[in-house]
Amino acid sequence: MLLNYLKITFRTLSKYKSFSAINIGGLAVGMAACALILLWVQDELSFDRFHRKAERIYRVGRSWDFREMHGQAPLATGPWGPAMQRDFPEVENFVRIEPLELAVKDHRNVFRKQRLFAADNSLFEIFDFHLEKGDPAQALPHPYTVVMTAEMAQTYFGNEEAVGQLLTVDWEGEPTAFKVTGILETAPANSHIHFDILLSLSSYPEDALNRWFGPQHYTYILLAEDASLSSLKRKFPAFLEKYVADEFMAYFGPDIAVTDVFQVTLKPLLDIHLNPSREMEIEPPGSAGTVYLFSVIAVLVLLIACINFINLSTARANKRAREVGMRKAVGAQKRQLVAQFLGESLVLVLLALILAIGILSVSLPTFNSISGKHISTGLIFQYSNFIALLAMAIVAGVLAGLYPAFYLSAFNPVKVLKGQLQSGSRKPAFRRIMTIFQFAISISIIIGSFIVYQQLAFMQNKSLGFDKENVVIIPAESNGIRSNIETFRDKLQADQRIKSVSASSMIPGTKILHDTNFRRRDNGEVYNLMYIRTDYEFIDTYHFDLIRGRQFSREHGTDRDEAFILNERAVRSLGYTLDEVVGKKLDMTAGPSETHSGTVIGIVKDFHLQSMHLKIQPTVFLMGSNEAFNKITIRLAGEGISRTLPYIKQTWRSVYPGEQFKYTFLDNRLDQLYTAEKRVRKIFLLFAGLSIFIACLGLMGLATFTSEARKKEIGIRKTLGASVAGMILLLSIEFTKWILLANLVAWPIAWFTMNHWLQSFAYRINMDIGTFLFSGVLALLIALLTVGFQAIKAAIANPVDALRYE
């Protein structure tokens, strides 16, 4: 019996070649697309799960709510981790990690910048970052020790044994020797943190690590196996009162309780990648919303392919009606027919699965480049993934074949053999609904693609409050660079192609902002504001729009120590108006015993320091010394940039012969803030195209069967004088109605979904009806082009061929 079913299945596939090709091809593309997305989702969900203690690891952070300042940061100062381990039995261990921008000298005496972090030695006790060489217990407990990856060992020491060697790091402004104590394994791709070099955090002065209002680190705690998270969180207010309240009152005064402003937060390690802090993540994170959205798209793309199968199988029912009638007449039971048609469906799907695996293997490199992933072809054949892929195919085959199987097996044999079955020539409601549904899915994805594109264009073209074009950024990583900035500036500005040169502690696109408290001299109120230390040329170099007062000037000797320039948001945060703030006195508190007093001399228009996911921050400019600067900004004249860059490099080598020359363009740096959104856009476009392609495959098949079913009607109409254009319109109008109805279904779904996505941006576009109309018209045109060929073919056919035997 089974052999007979298989023989009939392959005869049917051979007989209806175009049907078989459309169904197998559509299913294969649908399964490949679904599998690609699910592999991407699997990779996103796997972040940090390679750590054996991952479920017990939490990152310590803080949130605050004070006047107009609301936010959160995944950072804590040095004493937090040790104090938590000491005070809370729930905390078994802690580790502090700090990303650094330091220069490291290689074996050719050239300073290079790497992904360098300072860390406690407990890193190896909490996380599963392994050493290929060296003892984890003795890797970083002592000051001036360092571990590095094998690639970095090759870079800095060539073919020599690296362990035991000394590595020169520009530490605290001075070239300092660090002893190499181990060789690191490269961190897995699905880690939320990657590093080339780790140096011991204990190399910092002890005072810097013991200040509650001091340098900040990413602090992770490991909870005991029996620890109660809720019990631990209830202890945090008392913890703040014990350790932070005294210094807090020195900043804010005795009338504000520390627990009214600050809260301690704990972020599970496994949530960091997909549910990150809105600010200051170590690396660009993912998005749980995007994972959910793409998971739905994966299912929907596969569903579109299954709908094609159902529609085409029922549409060609009249072609197999006599076969069903004959089988029933000679005694075949319904369950046997259902088994036969389900078997045919499964064979078809398994053939499609083989093709889908081929498509997956070929398309993975391209998909990796689009998505920024490193998914290997071997992952497809990993046992669990292959079983899941096979299960997906079988489920798809059963679901797709179930309706056609019961539909075909239910034919009345008497009516079939008398030629009274007309299922293929009419328009069953089920088939119409399925086609409308699959085009609604496709149109929704197209709309989503356009909205993602528009939001990215909006972010890239919106006025940032400064001019980002023709600006080169050079990191000032070593004390040697910082000490000679004036010499470098003077030599560069001797050339007309250089408009201006500036140095500062931060630039737009900076990941971690510096904040501190400013006290109004007139009423004693304290406000938390961001600040940037700059030189005299900073405002001119960036073309900030000065709207009140003046900028820093060498003609005013007090500007270096006693002047502030604010943006509009800082003015509002301080409670002033633009017209009254110039001339007001502020005290900047850099610590309980450190106060920097000055006068507001100017106001600049608001500007974006970070991505448009975040609101503009209240920011203060003040003058700084060379030691505070870590970025050099060069504004070019805008012509002959390709010739200007070699001049800058030549000048660099003449001033800094032992330093590596590295640069980026500011506009490229800002574009990197939206890397995740660009990848989402590309993936959206890819699967929008695939969904339309699969839907149109099915539409082409339906158009073919519809044309065949109505060829006698077309023949009669042409005999009676109907024109070719009229016949094309007659055959196309039915599909046009389906696409128009699909738009009505797609629009509210797309609006709801994309409105939710846009809410993650502080500055966003407003969705307009034009995007929805354009997407609907585009889908309609694609559909009409798809069915147009079959319509033309049917309309120009000789009516004699259709009516010869009537």
Side-chain angles (χ1 to χ4, degrees):
M1 181 67 74
L2 180 61
L3 187 61
N4 184 49
Y5 285 169
L6 287 173
K7 187 185 297 182
I8 293 170
T9 297
F10 284 106
R11 281 179 182 173
T12 303
L13 295 179
S14 177
K15 183 177 180 181
Y16 302 107
K17 292 183 178 64
S18 60
F19 160 81
S20 303
I22 289 173
N23 251 3
I24 293 174
L27 279 170
V29 172
M31 285 194 288
C34 180
L36 273 176
I37 300 179
L38 292 180
L39 285 173
W40 179 88
V41 168
Q42 182 186 52
D43 185 83
E44 287 289 288
L45 295 175
S46 71
F47 265 72
D48 297 309
R49 294 186 182 276
F50 63 91
H51 299 294
R52 288 169 295 177
K53 302 173 184 176
E55 294 185 353
R56 294 194 285 135
I57 301 172
Y58 291 79
R59 186 177 64 191
V60 180
R62 55 193 171 88
S63 63
W64 60 89
D65 187 352
F66 182 62
R67 296 197 173 102
E68 288 194 19
M69 293 296 294
H70 316 281
Q72 58 179 351
L75 298 163
T77 53
W80 284 58
M84 285 185 166
Q85 185 183 30
R86 184 173 59 248
D87 289 12
F88 304 139
E90 294 90 346
V91 177
E92 182 178 303
N93 207 343
F94 74 91
V95 62
R96 295 162 296 185
I97 300 172
E98 181 182 0
L100 301 171
E101 291 189 355
L102 298 178
V104 183
K105 186 179 287 187
D106 66 12
H107 63 291
R108 292 182 295 272
N109 282 332
V110 175
F111 276 105
R112 297 176 175 274
K113 179 184 176 184
Q114 311 294 162
R115 291 182 296 187
L116 192 148
F117 288 75
D120 291 306
N121 195 65
S122 51
L123 175 90
F124 300 108
E125 300 168 9
I126 295 176
F127 295 109
D128 287 321
F129 295 122
H130 300 295
L131 291 177
E132 294 178 359
K133 296 180 181 178
D135 180 4
Q138 297 300 319
L140 298 174
H142 306 297
Y144 309 116
T145 53
V146 64
V147 296
M148 57 175 55
T149 62
E151 181 183 353
M152 290 300 101
Q154 177 69 30
T155 298
Y156 287 98
F157 300 107
N159 295 323
E160 297 180 27
E161 174 59 54
V163 175
Q165 297 268 25
L166 296 179
L167 185 72
T168 302
V169 180
D170 193 76
W171 181 253
E172 299 287 307
E174 296 293 336
T176 305
F178 281 71
K179 184 179 180 180
V180 179
T181 55
I183 302 300
L184 273 168
E185 286 184 6
T186 302
N190 59 347
S191 171
H192 83 284
I193 178 173
H194 296 87
F195 33 71
D196 299 316
I197 299 173
L198 288 174
L199 56 83
S200 55
L201 194 75
S202 59
S203 305
Y204 278 108
E206 188 174 344
D207 174 64
L209 295 176
N210 291 330
R211 288 166 53 189
W212 287 91
F213 280 74
Q216 300 181 87
H217 318 281
Y218 294 93
T219 301
Y220 300 81
I221 58 173
L222 176 68
L223 298 190
E225 292 187 5
D226 59 347
S228 167
L229 185 62
S230 58
S231 173
L232 176 61
K233 288 181 176 179
R234 286 194 295 269
K235 299 176 181 180
F236 287 155
F239 179 85
L240 290 173
E241 289 285 354
K242 178 179 179 180
Y243 291 110
V244 184
D246 289 343
E247 290 195 39
F248 177 85
M249 284 189 290
Y251 280 116
F252 294 92
D255 299 330
I256 303 173
V258 63
T259 51
D260 291 337
V261 176
F262 287 106
Q263 293 81 41
V264 181
T265 62
L266 292 181
K267 173 76 71 173
L269 175 68
L270 297 180
D271 284 357
I272 289 176
H273 180 67
L274 293 181
N275 295 286
S277 170
R278 293 292 297 274
E279 306 173 41
M280 306 180 191
E281 286 294 346
I282 298 176
E283 295 184 9
S287 164
T290 303
V291 168
Y292 297 144
L293 181 61
F294 281 0
S295 299
V296 171
I297 290 175
V299 174
L300 292 179
V301 169
L302 184 60
L303 189 57
I304 290 173
C306 291
I307 289 172
N308 278 352
F309 183 91
I310 295 170
N311 278 347
L312 292 176
S313 296
T314 55
R316 73 184 182 102
N318 61 329
K319 294 290 186 180
R320 301 192 67 182
R322 291 184 181 276
E323 174 193 338
V324 174
M326 287 294 295
R327 285 180 173 275
K328 281 196 167 186
V330 297
Q333 297 180 7
K334 183 175 180 177
R335 60 181 177 80
Q336 293 174 311
L337 292 170
V338 168
Q340 177 192 331
F341 290 124
L342 272 178
E344 288 184 14
S345 172
L346 287 173
V347 169
L348 199 70
V349 170
L350 291 175
L351 290 173
L353 176 61
I354 295 171
L355 182 57
I357 291 174
I359 294 172
L360 262 177
S361 302
V362 171
S363 60
L364 257 180
T366 303
F367 182 74
N368 281 336
S369 67
I370 291 173
S371 63
K373 294 294 184 184
H374 301 86
I375 302 171
S376 66
T377 307
L379 200 61
I380 302 170
F381 300 100
Q382 194 178 74
Y383 179 76
S384 58
N385 286 338
F386 185 77
I387 293 299
L389 198 62
L390 184 62
M392 178 182 73
I394 293 172
V395 170
V398 171
L399 292 178
L402 210 56
Y403 178 80
F406 280 97
Y407 177 76
L408 292 169
S409 63
F411 288 161
N412 187 320
V414 176
K415 290 184 177 181
V416 167
L417 296 176
K418 285 184 177 181
Q420 295 176 355
L421 184 69
Q422 296 178 328
S423 63
S425 61
R426 294 292 182 261
K427 304 175 283 291
F430 181 78
R431 195 157 67 239
R432 288 202 300 269
I433 292 170
M434 290 294 97
T435 302
I436 290 167
F437 180 66
Q438 67 177 174
F439 267 91
I441 295 170
S442 300
I443 293 167
S444 298
I445 299 174
I446 291 173
I447 292 170
S449 302
F450 281 126
I451 290 173
V452 171
Y453 176 83
Q454 290 169 352
Q455 176 64 20
L456 274 173
F458 168 77
M459 293 187 295
Q460 291 171 330
N461 298 323
K462 183 181 182 293
S463 174
L464 300 174
F466 56 87
D467 184 2
K468 67 178 181 178
E469 303 298 330
N470 303 318
V471 176
V472 174
I473 306 296
I474 300 177
E477 297 162 338
S478 71
N479 193 49
I481 296 174
R482 290 187 285 269
S483 62
N484 284 310
I485 286 176
E486 287 82 3
T487 303
F488 183 56
R489 176 195 294 122
D490 293 342
K491 286 196 172 188
L492 285 179
Q493 289 185 327
D495 193 291
Q496 295 181 352
R497 294 170 295 184
I498 308 297
K499 295 186 70 174
S500 61
V501 181
S502 174
S504 60
S505 62
M506 282 197 302
I507 60 170
T510 298
K511 185 182 300 181
I512 299 178
L513 305 182
H514 302 150
D515 68 299
T516 192
N517 297 308
F518 289 80
R519 187 189 306 275
R520 280 179 51 168
R521 187 82 62 81
D522 52 7
N523 64 10
E525 296 285 349
V526 177
Y527 302 83
N528 186 260
L529 308 175
M530 306 298 159
Y531 69 94
I532 302 176
R533 296 189 183 274
T534 73
D535 60 10
Y536 293 105
E537 290 78 17
F538 187 74
I539 290 177
D540 275 344
T541 300
Y542 277 91
H543 292 175
F544 288 112
D545 190 357
L546 190 72
I547 58 175
R548 297 286 193 284
R550 63 177 178 83
Q551 58 180 290
F552 301 123
S553 171
R554 290 182 175 85
E555 296 177 0
H556 294 79
T558 58
D559 281 4
R560 175 159 291 280
D561 299 313
E562 301 176 9
F564 299 121
I565 296 176
L566 282 58
N567 70 347
E568 296 171 285
R569 178 71 192 279
V571 174
R572 292 194 299 272
S573 296
L574 289 167
Y576 289 119
T577 66
L578 295 177
D579 294 324
E580 68 177 337
V581 70
V582 174
K584 297 295 184 182
K585 303 288 186 180
L586 300 176
D587 294 326
M588 173 184 171
T589 53
S593 58
E594 292 182 59
T595 302
H596 179 84
S597 299
T599 304
V600 178
I601 65 168
I603 308 298
V604 297
K605 285 186 71 68
D606 281 339
F607 54 90
H608 292 272
L609 270 176
Q610 298 173 293
S611 81
M612 291 187 194
H613 286 283
L614 306 170
K615 291 184 178 180
I616 290 173
Q617 298 291 332
T619 307
V620 179
F621 296 145
L622 66 152
M623 295 289 291
S625 60
N626 284 9
E627 290 76 16
F629 300 150
N630 55 37
K631 292 291 185 294
I632 300 172
T633 303
I634 306 171
R635 177 166 292 281
L636 309 181
E639 297 179 359
I641 291 177
S642 60
R643 295 189 300 275
T644 307
L645 287 173
Y647 168 71
I648 296 173
K649 184 175 182 179
Q650 179 183 353
T651 306
W652 175 273
R653 286 180 174 173
S654 69
V655 178
Y656 307 117
E659 304 283 356
Q660 184 184 23
F661 177 71
K662 296 185 71 174
Y663 71 93
T664 58
F665 282 97
L666 179 62
D667 53 356
N668 292 337
R669 182 187 180 97
L670 295 175
D671 283 345
Q672 290 173 5
L673 297 175
Y674 308 109
T675 300
E677 285 75 21
K678 288 180 179 179
R679 287 173 180 166
V680 168
R681 180 190 65 183
K682 290 178 181 178
I683 295 173
F684 247 119
L685 287 172
L686 173 64
F687 290 103
L690 286 175
S691 66
I692 280 287
F693 172 74
I694 297 168
C696 286
L697 273 180
L699 200 60
M700 183 172 67
L702 284 178
T704 303
F705 283 110
T706 300
S707 300
E708 282 192 33
R710 300 182 69 176
K711 67 180 181 180
K712 288 187 174 64
E713 175 192 344
I714 294 169
I716 294 170
R717 285 178 179 272
K718 289 191 69 176
T719 302
L720 296 176
S723 66
V724 171
M727 289 298 93
I728 294 173
L729 181 62
L730 176 70
L731 292 170
S732 301
I733 197 166
E734 175 184 352
F735 296 102
T736 301
K737 290 188 294 186
W738 292 0
I739 306 305
L740 292 177
L741 285 171
N743 275 283
L744 296 180
V745 175
W747 289 2
I749 296 172
W751 184 91
F752 176 82
T753 304
M754 297 315 298
N755 185 60
H756 180 74
W757 180 76
L758 287 170
Q759 287 175 3
S760 66
F761 297 89
Y763 304 91
R764 46 168 286 184
I765 62 169
N766 292 316
M767 291 183 287
D768 61 84
I769 190 65
T771 302
F772 293 77
L773 287 172
F774 181 78
S775 300
V777 170
L778 179 63
L780 178 61
L781 289 175
I782 294 171
L784 289 178
L785 286 172
T786 302
V787 302
F789 174 75
Q790 292 300 330
I792 293 170
K793 182 179 176 182
I796 64 176
N798 190 339
V800 174
D801 295 333
L803 303 175
R804 179 176 296 166
Y805 301 107
E806 294 298 317

